Amino acid sequence: MKSCKFTFWEVLINKKEFKGKVALVTGASRGIGKVIALELAKCGASVAINYNSNLRLAKDTLKRVRSFGVNGEIIKANVSKEKEVKYLIRKTEKKLGPIDLLITNAGILHVPKDVLDLDYTIWKKIMSTNVDGTFLPIKEVIPGMIKRKFGRIVCISSIAGLGKRPNMIAYGTSKASVIALARNLAEAVAPYIRINTVAPGLIETDMAKAFSKETKKNIIKNTPLKRLGTSEDIANSVIYLLSEQSSFITGQTLIVDGGKVVLPVSYTHLRAHETGRN
Ligand code: NAP
């Protein structure tokens, strides 16, 4: 068999999959968002780098994005505030052009010491950052994407939104909402816009500092692939879902967690199998 000269990844980079496209990544000053911004730049996209408070790190992302020979801008905006999100979209489009690729990545985590510490102030903060912060940028970009008949959106959720996490009730609920939002929107915005979700397991970023060494060891023990995830693992999946390699995929959740969560086959599937329907 003739061996393929390039990997899937090299093909996307070599043909500059996103050349001429404008991408906006929320929460791209550090962590997963930063690596997504860099991978998009590698594939030729102009990248708007959103941040909330960390200007120094956002500047570093910008420098590295521009080192790939593409345009980049940093834009401060709190994604939980409608006014600031409107400004974020306006500024991106003014500086770089209409948004083709949106990655809603900005998010926060809170792990209460007591599982029943259901603090309403914290609940509201998590919901507004993780859910409103996903909804607002999507709401702002959809009309333009529909008009131009092109749009790709990837939302970052979490496996906490899929399973049960008694110590992360607010966070888990917010991440389940992100999945429901993307799933419900997918049909409404089809066929020109595709929207999917990535659900990471534990990834080694600042956010993971909320967990003790012991907890991390346990997670690794219970993960079939025997390691924690990296921001690159998540960025690779995001790039795939934005690219034309996934052109028949919308409304889906891609779980990237080393096999930790294995979803049961749904009852509907079993019934269809039993009755010979599909
Ligand atoms: P991180 O290292 O803590 O970085 C969070 C990013 O979000 C930063 O760029 C931060 O900006 C930005 N941000 C936070 N609140 C914001 C707001 N209100 N407005 C705009 N930007 C805001 O987190 P991460 O680990 O990269 O997580 C990225 C996404 O992946 C989140 O949605 C998270 O829930 C999800 N996720 C992470 C893990 C994990 O284990 N790390 C697992 C599953 C899912 P500043 O730097 O300016 O504060």
Side-chain angles (χ1 to χ4, degrees), residues 27 29-30 32 52-54 78-79 105 157 171 175 201 203 205:
S29 49
R30 55 201 163 98
I32 295 169
N52 188 34
S53 55
N54 223 320
N78 181 336
V79 292
N105 163 79
S157 174
Y171 182 75
K175 291 301 185 177
I203 308 300
T205 65

Side-chain angles (χ1 to χ4, degrees), residues 8 17 36 72 90 101 130 136 148 153 182 186 247 252 260:
F8 157 72
E17 173 82 14
I36 294 171
R90 249 195 345 264
L101 316 170
N130 297 359
L136 292 171
R148 295 185 299 278
I153 302 172
S247 62
Q252 300 303 312
K260 190 163 183 292

